[in-house]
Amino acid sequence: MPHLDTLLAHAGCTPDPTTGAVVAPLHLSTTFERATDGSYPHGFVYSRADNPTRRDLETTLARLEGAAACIAFGSGQAAAHALFQTLTPGDHLIVPDDVYHGIRVLVLDLMQHWGVTATRVDLTDLEALDAALRPETRLVWVETPSNPCLKVTDIAGVTERAHAAGARVAVDGTWTTPLLQRPLELGADVVVHSLTKYLSGHSDVLGGAILTRTADETTDALRQIQTHGGGVLDPFSAWLTLRGLRSLSARLRVQCQTAAQVAAYLDAHPRVHRVHYPGRPHHPGHAVAKRQMTDFGAMVSFELDGTEAEALAVAARTHIFRRATSLGGTESLIEHRASIEAPPTDTPPTLLRCSIGLEHPADLLHDLSQALETGAS
Ligand code: PLP
């Protein structure tokens, strides 16, 4: 198989047999014509069930992740929700204590109506995982590095223990992409991506995907949920994601390099209490991250040495960092996480989360410098 960079560079670029176009066309049609004998000669019937552009993206993502199957949804949350819907009443699932707050709401609130219970566990502590696993635990959800505190979980360690207890492991690969971390090779059963972030990469797509290591009854159930639940990824978003994938490797390389510089800068800043970035040698998950990641990612969080109001003021003073939620685009974003997360939140009140984009590092450091220093006591 070619290198991942090569696969990415050619995403969505299978020449169109009817025109020779190098970039695959966008298939917006919702329905497909039958032949005179009533058959569907090209295999497509109706776009909720299957669509050529969405299928192209699903096939590409499965190859990139080394997965048997990929099922795409209208958002990362819809993808995660579909996976949780494969559980049955009475099942138990484990989620990390630090996890994207949307997932927290999904499992601790919405899934309760499904009769599924969930426990939050510090998955950096494998003994805590052992203690939380129950006979009815069916799934362990891993997010590493976690959102927003960048805690690092040993995927292979979690998988070994979960499998021994009869539970499957799903890893949220949104922050790492198939380039920085390969959960299926570390033993995980499922990878879930929000396509909204690095994979599409330009803050103009909402999408999600589930990738399964084997094609089995869970894959079939997910296809059923996709087709009949109907929360599918639309063809234009699939096409834009394929376009974004073509530059993923180059984008991420620069974003990771700049993130490392930003983290080092913040680490030395007198107004910064603590930097959360697994690339820093003092980070508690540094050794595990070094082992299971090819680079440390482009998300950096830091806690201000001050009050919540001062942290909000820092976010308000940036000019190049945009003050907005989300991540993974070409533009750098800064966000005070505690104020967007649904209460109750454990996120430290002075924590600011930065998504590092493609701007020149000197401009980003200058922006942080003036935001941290203006009005500093
Ligand atoms: N997983 C992680 C780690 C995220 O950060 C997010 C969104 O920020 C999601 C999942 C949800 O993705 P979406 O917004 O596409 O539903």
Side-chain angles (χ1 to χ4, degrees), residues 25-32 47 51-53 234-239:
L26 163 59
H27 292 280
L28 291 171
S29 187
T30 52
T31 190
F32 299 84
S47 276
N51 166 279
T53 308
D234 71 278
F236 187 40
S237 296
W239 190 88

Side-chain angles (χ1 to χ4, degrees), residues 147-161:
N147 181 359
C149 290
L150 291 112
K151 291 172 80 165
V152 173
T153 295
D154 174 354
I155 296 172
V158 165
T159 301
E160 203 184 306
R161 284 164 168 80

Side-chain angles (χ1 to χ4, degrees), residues 75-77 100 103 143 147 172 174-175 194 196-197 206-207 327:
S75 69
Q77 284 299 96
Y100 170 55
I103 296 292
E143 189 183 277
N147 181 359
D172 186 330
T174 302
W175 281 25
S194 164
T196 314
K197 317 298 179 182
L206 264 184
L327 57 115

Side-chain angles (χ1 to χ4, degrees), residues 76-144:
Q77 284 299 96
H81 196 193
L83 182 65
F84 299 143
Q85 284 173 20
T86 64
L87 301 172
T88 47
D91 286 352
H92 172 245
L93 78 95
I94 290 175
V95 290
D97 55 350
D98 188 58
V99 68
Y100 170 55
H101 85 104
I103 296 292
R104 181 160 53 85
V105 173
L106 201 46
V107 299
L108 296 178
D109 190 352
L110 294 185
M111 290 310 293
Q112 302 303 300
H113 307 303
W114 199 264
V116 168
T117 54
T119 310
R120 294 171 69 196
V121 177
D122 176 3
L123 291 180
T124 66
D125 176 356
L126 294 177
E127 284 172 16
L129 170 64
D130 282 336
L133 283 162
R134 305 181 195 160
E136 65 274 21
T137 307
R138 291 284 162 270
L139 186 70
V140 180
W141 179 269
V142 174
E143 189 183 277
T144 177

